[in-house]
Amino acid sequence: TLSTCCVADGVVYAAELRGLLHCLDAATGKRHWVCDLKGAIWGSPFLADGKVFVPTEAGDLFVLKHDPKPFTLD
């Protein structure tokens, strides 16, 4: 990865250059979920207003709810 992690409320968001965003338990490292954003991630995840913002190299900006519960992208 080339970015930093985002940590809030016991949850870590970590992005991989190849486009994967990981949501982990900060205390144990256990994976809550992983999401393929289908584009290289050079920037760091950012948390604001209960949402996680993640930009991709393709120019997409994903806005995800700050929540460790698994989900699917539509």
Side-chain angles (χ1 to χ4, degrees):
T1 185
L2 297 174
S3 63
T4 60
C5 295
C6 176
V7 182
D9 305 320
V11 178
V12 176
Y13 297 97
E16 284 188 56
L17 179 60
R18 66 182 178 143
L20 299 177
L21 178 65
H22 299 268
C23 178
L24 310 167
D25 182 284
T28 66
K30 178 186 172 207
R31 182 171 63 188
H32 292 296
W33 51 259
V34 61
C35 183
D36 187 352
L37 300 182
K38 309 274 191 233
I41 302 171
W42 291 76
S44 301
F46 181 80
L47 182 85
D49 195 29
K51 299 172 188 80
V52 180
F53 297 82
V54 186
T56 67
E57 182 179 48
D60 296 317
L61 176 63
F62 288 84
V63 181
L64 309 170
K65 182 179 178 184
H66 167 51
D67 192 341
K69 294 180 193 141
F71 69 97
T72 58
L73 288 178
D74 295 330

